[in-house]
Each structure stands twice: as C-alpha cells, then as structure tokens.
C-alpha cells in the first residue's frame, strides 16, 4: 500500500536500482523483510538477493561495485535460490550503462580519475609488493583451475571449442611465430609467470631465455617445471624488476605484464624494452586493453585482486610509443579469446571449489567467485579485449608482410607433431 511506497522512496538503494536495472530482474529482500523488484524481466537474468543488515544497503548505494563484492564475501549479501555470483554480475553486466549515469556514480568516477596516477604509482619495491599480493599464494590453488601448462593469461582459440590446454599451446605457438626466432637466439621475457612460454620457446625454438619475475613463489615453481621439461640449462629465471635488467637480447617478450605497470610508467616500460634489444631486434607485448577512452581500475579489482593494476586504452599505449619514438610494427586485437579463456577457468574453478575452500577459506573463494565472474563478463559485455603489438627501433626490423607469421606457425606445428 501507500506505506510501502513511502518506504521505497525513502530508501537510498532503490533510488539507484530503479535507474540502473532495466534489463532482467533483480529482487531485493531488505533486512526488515521488505521486498522490491527492479527491471523489466526481459533480456537478462532473474536474480534475488537478501541483505542481512541495514548498513549494507547504504554502503552499496555509495560504492556499489566494491561494497556489493565485500558484502557477498562477508555473507551480508546472500544470493537466494541457489544463484551464484556470476548470475548477479551478469545482471550488472547487461545494465552497466545505467549505473554510470547515476549522479552519485558520476561523482565517484570523477574522484577515481583524479587519483588514478597515485593509485598506479608502481615505483620500485612497491611494484613487487603489488604483484606478490596476487601471485604469492599457494601454487596449488592455481593448479586447481589453470591448465597443465599453468598459463595465467589469455589463450588463443583457433576454434571456440578448443580445449583450454590446446588454446594455451596455440597461444605460445602464435607468439613464437610472431617473434621469428632462430636457434641460438637469446630472448628476454619480462613477467614470466609459471614459466610456460619460456619453456615452450626453449623446447620448440631452441633459444636461450632470460625470464624475469618479482614473484618468489612463481619462480620456484618455474625452475622445477623447466627441469621436468628438460630445458633448465637454456633458461635463466631471475627475481628482478624489469627496470633493473641489463644486457641486450635478440627479442623481448612480455605477456600480461603491462597491466601491472601503471599509466605513470608506460614510457619507462617501453624505453626499457627498447634498451634491452640488440640492433635489428624487436619485441612483442601482449596485454589487456579497453576499447573505451582512458578510465580507472574498478575498486574491487584495485583493492583485492591487482593493486596498482590498470588496463590501458589503446590511445594511451600508442601515445606512449609516440613519446618514446618507438615503432609499432604490428597490432592484433584478440576480442573474444579472453572471454573463452576465463569461462574455461571459471568452470574448472567451480568444479574444484570445495578443494579451494579447504585450502584458502570461504571468504577468499567468494572473492575469487566475484573476480572470475566479473572478469569473464568484462570480456563478453564490457569494453575489454587483448592486444598484441610488435615494437622495434626501426620501421623494417619486423618483416614487412605478415605472411611470415602463418608460415612460421605451420612450421612450428609440424615440428611439434614430429617431436611428440
């Protein structure tokens, strides 16, 4: 009746949700039992959530992206009827434009933009701490849901139904082909993860690799994996920040690392890569980008997942190359590939979730539910994609026609099949 209507207009959260949720349906059960539904019920999922206390309603109104995640992690926002974080985030995802238009949200984003240089100031020492925050947790946790190569970056799906493992191997082959490697070359890898690419290059391209990383945990695991693969003598895994590396290399490769650099340091990142290249050499950078103008990192990701991280707009990447006087010889955009990758990760993670909870605890795993779901949807409905650029000092250091990439991929594939 009238009193219900009055209660609804007095509440802050319904004010935001009625403007924000247009597609699908979100039903909210407030802590006093009051229930309200938002949205058309069309073109999106139907999700019911329950808020367990009064404060959470106000918190979510003022900072929905961060506080909804935290409330879910703490069990103060409960998804009813067996729903998952993915269902709630799918609903957010198909309504994302409505939220950004709300005056309170507009003001918040303005503040974030003003602070972004400070948030991404990954100076020496702090950069390592930020990376360790994400990677120095037990390798066993990642083993639960990554493929056997332990590759934690966007795969390359030559077909949408490729297995995750196949798509990661295809990615390594695609990158190796672009690098146009010859036996005996020396490659520098900046940000080497669990060593999968370094091992692939050593094994199938017969090159030497110096692979650097600031995560102690990952380096220890990488060294063991290189021994198992029989290529330990070809790879030097080193714990060092990219800015402190010396020497010169035939090729430089950096996968999923630029997202950790921070907009303040793009010029220094590209200048470092350029300094590490021998004359005539070139580099490949693979990173997540956004097809929208420059922005900021979502508060949940910034606080819990990748402190100091930032996904650049291509305009920021190219502006930095212009300032540093470096040629971009090639740019390829992988659009749906990361959506397929994270979708596969999420299914593997959900299949092993009980084991994950036993290892890391329920709150951590709820954080991971939220992270994987929001990342997957960002590549499906949001503005994210992955780009690969080839960069060099001179305009003709990279072959002038791209056909060499396809030819080299075919050659690598047949040599892999023979060695198998």
């Amino acid at each position: 009746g009238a009193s219900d209507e009055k209660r609804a207009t007095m509440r802050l959260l319904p004010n935001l949700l009625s403007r924000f949720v247009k597609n699908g349906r979100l039903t909210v059960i407030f802590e006093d039992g009051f229930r309200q539904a938002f949205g058309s019920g069309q073109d999106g999922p139907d999700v019911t959530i329950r808020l367990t206390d009064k404060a959470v309603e106000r918190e979510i109104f003022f900072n929905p992206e961060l506080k909804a995640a935290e409330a879910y992690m703490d069990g103060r926002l409960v998804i009813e009827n067996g729903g998952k974080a993915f269902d709630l985030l799918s609903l957010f995802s198909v309504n994302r434009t409505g939220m950004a238009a709300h005056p309170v949200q507009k003001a918040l984003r303005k503040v974030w933009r003003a602070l972004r240089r400070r948030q991404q100031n990954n100076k020496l020492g702090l950069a390592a701490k930020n990376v360790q925050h994400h990677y120095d947790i037990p390798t066993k946790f990642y083993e639960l849901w990554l493929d056997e190569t332990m590759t934690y970056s966007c795969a390359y799906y030559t077909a949408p139904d490729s297995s995750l493992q196949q798509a990661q191997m295809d990615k390594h082959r695609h990158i190796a082909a672009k690098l146009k490697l010859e036996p005996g070359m020396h490659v520098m890898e900046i940000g080497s993860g669990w060593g999968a690419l370094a091992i692939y290059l050593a094994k199938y391209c017969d090159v030497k690799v110096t692979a650097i990383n600031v995560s102690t945990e990952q380096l220890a695991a990488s060294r063991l994996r290189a021994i198992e693969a029989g290529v330990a003598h070809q790879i030097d895994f080193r714990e060092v920040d990219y800015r402190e590396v010396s020497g010169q290399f035939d090729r430089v490769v950096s996968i999923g690392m630029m997202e950790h650099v921070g907009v303040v340091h793009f010029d220094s990142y590209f200048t470092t890569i350029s300094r590490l290249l021998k004359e005539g050499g070139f580099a490949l950078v693979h990173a997540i980008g956004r097809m929208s103008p420059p922005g900021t990192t979502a508060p949940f990701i910034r606080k819990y997942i990748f402190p100091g991280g930032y996904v650049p707009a291509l305009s920021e990447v190219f502006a930095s190359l212009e300032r540093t006087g470096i040629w971009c010889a090639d740019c390829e955009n992988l659009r749906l590939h990361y959506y397929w990758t994270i979708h596969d990760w999420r299914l593997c993670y959900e299949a092993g979730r009980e084991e994950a909870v036993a290892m890391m605890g329920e709150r951590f795993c709820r954080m991971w539910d939220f992270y994987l779901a929001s990342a997957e949807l960002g590549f499906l409905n949001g503005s994210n994609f992955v780009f690969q650029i080839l960069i060099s000092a001179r305009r003709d250091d990279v072959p002038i026609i791209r056909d060499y990439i396809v030819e080299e991929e075919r050659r690598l594939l047949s040599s892999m099949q023979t060695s198998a």
Side-chain angles (χ1 to χ4, degrees):
S3 66
D4 274 359
E5 272 172 43
K6 192 176 173 201
R7 281 164 86 188
T9 53
M10 282 168 68
R11 289 177 182 267
L12 289 170
L13 193 55
N15 175 295
L16 172 66
L17 293 176
S18 55
R19 295 176 64 156
F20 160 46
V21 184
K22 300 293 183 205
N23 301 319
R25 178 177 289 110
L26 176 65
T27 304
V28 183
I29 306 166
F30 294 90
E31 43 74 45
D32 56 3
F34 177 64
R35 233 183 142 93
Q36 195 172 353
F38 305 90
S40 64
Q42 306 291 311
D43 305 319
D46 191 333
V47 182
T48 300
I49 61 170
R50 182 165 50 80
L51 305 179
T52 65
D53 61 78
K54 208 164 177 52
V56 74
E57 186 186 331
R58 187 182 173 82
E59 288 166 21
I60 292 174
F61 172 77
F62 284 109
N63 194 348
E65 289 172 77
L66 177 62
K67 294 302 180 182
E70 287 184 336
Y72 171 73
M73 284 158 62
D74 294 332
R76 299 167 68 207
L77 181 161
V78 180
I79 302 166
E80 301 280 88
N81 313 325
K84 294 178 175 168
F86 185 82
D87 304 319
L88 177 61
L89 285 161
S90 296
L91 187 74
F92 279 9
S93 174
V94 295
N95 287 290
R96 59 180 57 223
T97 45
M99 183 151 77
H102 193 278
V104 175
Q105 296 309 307
K106 268 188 176 160
L108 252 181
R109 277 172 169 68
K110 207 170 171 184
V111 172
W112 292 342
R113 271 197 293 277
L115 293 174
R116 78 184 196 134
R117 292 183 83 79
R118 186 189 302 171
Q119 285 157 0
Q120 296 164 37
N121 186 13
N122 295 307
K123 52 183 188 285
L124 273 167
L126 180 62
K129 269 198 192 68
N130 283 342
V131 168
Q132 286 154 5
H133 170 91
H134 190 80
Y135 296 104
D136 279 358
I137 55 181
T139 302
K140 278 198 167 339
F141 170 70
Y142 288 101
E143 282 171 353
L144 280 178
W145 50 278
L146 293 178
D147 71 295
E148 276 174 40
T149 69
M150 289 291 284
T151 306
Y152 188 28
S153 54
C154 176
Y156 183 66
Y157 286 75
T158 51
D161 58 355
S162 285
S163 72
L164 176 60
Q165 172 122 358
Q166 185 59 54
Q168 291 295 8
M169 294 299 279
D170 289 343
K171 188 257 299 284
H172 296 145
R173 190 174 77 245
H174 192 54
I175 286 168
K178 284 187 175 191
L179 288 170
K180 201 177 189 323
L181 299 166
E182 286 158 32
M185 275 187 168
H186 195 172
V187 178
M188 157 60 65
E189 185 183 9
I190 297 174
S192 58
W194 280 281
L197 179 65
I199 290 166
Y200 180 94
L201 298 181
K203 195 169 174 176
Y204 297 110
C205 305
D206 193 21
V207 294
K208 285 190 300 184
V209 185
T210 297
I212 65 165
N213 195 335
V214 289
S215 164
T216 318
E217 179 91 22
Q218 279 192 325
L219 284 166
S222 300
R223 290 187 185 106
L224 289 175
R225 296 177 79 85
I227 293 167
E228 283 165 18
V231 291
H233 59 291
Q234 287 168 260
I235 308 173
D236 177 16
F237 285 109
R238 297 171 54 196
E239 186 166 351
V240 61
D241 185 285
Y242 68 98
R243 289 162 283 200
E244 298 183 303
V245 178
S246 54
Q248 286 205 303
F249 303 84
D250 298 292
R251 299 286 185 267
V252 175
V253 62
S254 183
I255 310 298
M257 158 69 195
M258 193 177 175
E259 303 91 322
H260 296 285
V261 167
V263 73
V264 191
H265 303 283
F266 286 172
D267 291 10
S268 125
Y269 173 69
F270 285 127
T271 310
T272 300
I273 290 175
S274 193
R275 168 175 64 74
L276 292 170
L277 284 169
K278 287 180 185 170
E279 194 172 335
F282 59 90
L284 182 146
V285 172
H286 162 122
I288 302 169
R290 60 178 80 214
M291 57 70 81
S292 54
T296 57
T297 304
F300 164 70
I301 298 290
R302 192 168 69 225
K303 180 170 176 179
Y304 288 98
I305 309 296
F306 295 116
Y310 173 66
V311 165
L314 279 183
S315 56
E316 293 172 294
V317 176
F318 283 99
S320 181
L321 291 172
E322 288 162 12
R323 287 192 297 271
T324 50
I326 294 166
W327 278 93
C328 174
D330 189 75
C331 178
E332 178 181 15
N333 292 343
L334 308 178
R335 284 139 299 143
L336 281 165
H337 296 263
Y338 218 164
Y339 161 65
W340 291 322
T341 308
I342 302 172
H343 181 72
D344 281 346
W345 285 346
R346 182 172 64 83
L347 297 185
C348 293
Y349 167 74
E350 284 175 1
R353 197 178 181 285
E354 275 181 42
E355 229 178 305
V357 171
M359 198 187 300
M360 305 299 296
E362 180 63 36
R363 186 175 192 267
F364 179 93
C365 289
R366 285 180 182 214
M367 173 179 89
W368 221 257
D369 295 339
F370 224 83
Y371 158 52
L372 288 178
S374 60
E376 180 181 333
L377 290 158
F379 286 94
L380 178 66
N381 298 325
S383 59
N384 288 357
F385 66 97
V386 167
F387 64 87
Q388 287 183 349
I389 53 173
L390 294 177
I391 56 174
S392 58
R394 298 178 306 205
R395 75 187 74 214
D396 57 353
D397 289 332
V398 175
I400 292 301
I401 294 173
R402 299 185 91 234
D403 298 18
Y404 85 91
I405 301 170
V406 178
E407 287 158 15
E408 185 61 9
E409 281 200 70
R410 285 192 187 127
R411 190 191 68 74
L412 279 166
L413 185 60
S414 70
S415 77
M416 274 176 73
Q417 284 163 345
T418 343
S419 69

